[in-house]
């Protein structure tokens, strides 16, 4: 019974010592003048500053893409879906859709390197909030050129408007194009 009391006292003292360390560190780092994230960056109204090499949501130039599938083949999580059709009276392909599923994307930038015409880049957009998973599927071929290429912001409103244009969002590699 005496060893049980010793173990209980030892457990209580070690917990109190751990809490003491936590409180000392909190007290040394606490700054009452520090602002919250939204006060510091005015986030919803103004975009937050990101590092120059930040890997955010992609920028994609649909006008220069040749449909070679190199970015989709390099993606380790298979989140890029490319639909293409052969160009009549010419050579090469024409994109019917270029969709990235951001619920799967790791933002690793492995899709950027193999592109032979440099039409895909990592952008500086850090937020694509939506209330459904469908909002995380972005079809760059349906977006306006200035949004897809990154001159304007890739925001949830632009993505939602692009989905309401022609047909439902691309369903993955099993979708039949007709």
């Amino acid at each position: 019974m005496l060893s049980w009391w010793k173990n209980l006292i030892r457990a209580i003292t070690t917990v109190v010592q751990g809490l003491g360390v936590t409180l000392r560190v909190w007290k040394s780092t606490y700054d009452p003048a520090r602002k919250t994230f939204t006060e510091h960056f005015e986030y919803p109204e103004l975009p937050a500053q990101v590092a120059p090499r930040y890997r955010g949501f992609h920028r994609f130039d649909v006008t220069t893409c040749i449909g070679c599938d190199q970015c989709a083949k390099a993606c380790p999580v298979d989140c890029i879906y490319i639909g293409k059709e052969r160009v009549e009276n010419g050579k090469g392909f024409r994109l019917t859709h270029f969709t990235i599923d951001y619920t799967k994307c790791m933002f690793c930038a492995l899709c950027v390197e193999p592109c032979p015409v440099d039409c895909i880049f990592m952008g500086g957009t850090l937020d694509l909030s939506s209330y459904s998973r469908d909002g995380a599927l972005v079809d760059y071929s349906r977006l306006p050129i200035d949004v897809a290429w990154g001159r304007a912001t890739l925001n949830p409103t632009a993505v939602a408007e692009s989905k309401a244009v022609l047909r439902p969002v691309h369903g993955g590699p099993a979708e039949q194009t007709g």
Side-chain angles (χ1 to χ4, degrees):
M1 184 71 170
L2 184 61
S3 66
W4 184 83
W5 283 104
K6 286 181 182 179
N7 287 338
L8 180 65
I9 292 171
R10 182 183 301 154
I12 292 173
T13 56
T14 55
V15 168
V16 168
Q17 287 173 353
L19 286 174
V21 169
T22 302
L23 288 174
R24 277 196 308 273
V25 170
W26 176 76
K27 185 179 176 188
S28 68
T29 60
Y30 178 70
D31 182 14
R34 185 174 69 184
K35 298 178 183 178
T36 63
F37 180 82
T38 55
E39 290 172 337
H40 185 68
F41 290 110
E42 300 179 25
Y43 173 62
E45 291 81 22
L46 298 174
Q49 298 293 324
V50 294
R53 294 183 57 138
Y54 177 75
R55 291 187 290 202
F57 291 93
H58 296 83
R59 294 182 341 186
F60 179 71
D61 187 7
V62 71
T63 59
T64 61
C65 183
I66 58 174
C68 66
D69 286 340
Q70 293 299 318
C71 54
K73 291 175 186 172
C75 182
V77 293
D78 297 328
C79 67
I80 300 175
Y81 308 112
I82 299 174
K84 59 188 176 181
E85 57 189 26
R86 188 151 298 275
V87 175
E88 296 177 15
N89 302 331
K91 62 179 186 176
F93 295 99
R94 184 182 69 80
L95 287 182
T96 57
H97 56 268
F98 185 93
T99 306
I100 298 180
D101 185 359
Y102 284 110
T103 59
K104 294 181 184 177
C105 185
M106 301 185 310
F107 300 98
C108 62
L110 291 175
C111 57
V112 174
E113 294 301 322
C115 184
V117 291
D118 294 331
C119 64
I120 187 168
F121 295 95
M122 298 307 286
T125 305
L126 62 102
D127 184 23
L128 192 60
S129 300
S130 62
Y131 288 108
S132 68
R133 291 183 187 204
D134 184 52
L137 290 169
V138 178
D139 190 349
Y140 283 89
S141 63
R142 290 191 197 168
L143 287 172
I145 295 294
D146 61 335
V147 175
W149 186 230
R151 292 184 207 108
T153 60
L154 178 64
N155 56 26
T157 306
V159 171
E161 288 173 357
S162 73
K163 292 180 182 182
V165 174
L166 298 173
R167 59 181 183 197
V169 177
H170 174 59
E175 180 182 85
Q176 298 293 325
T177 57

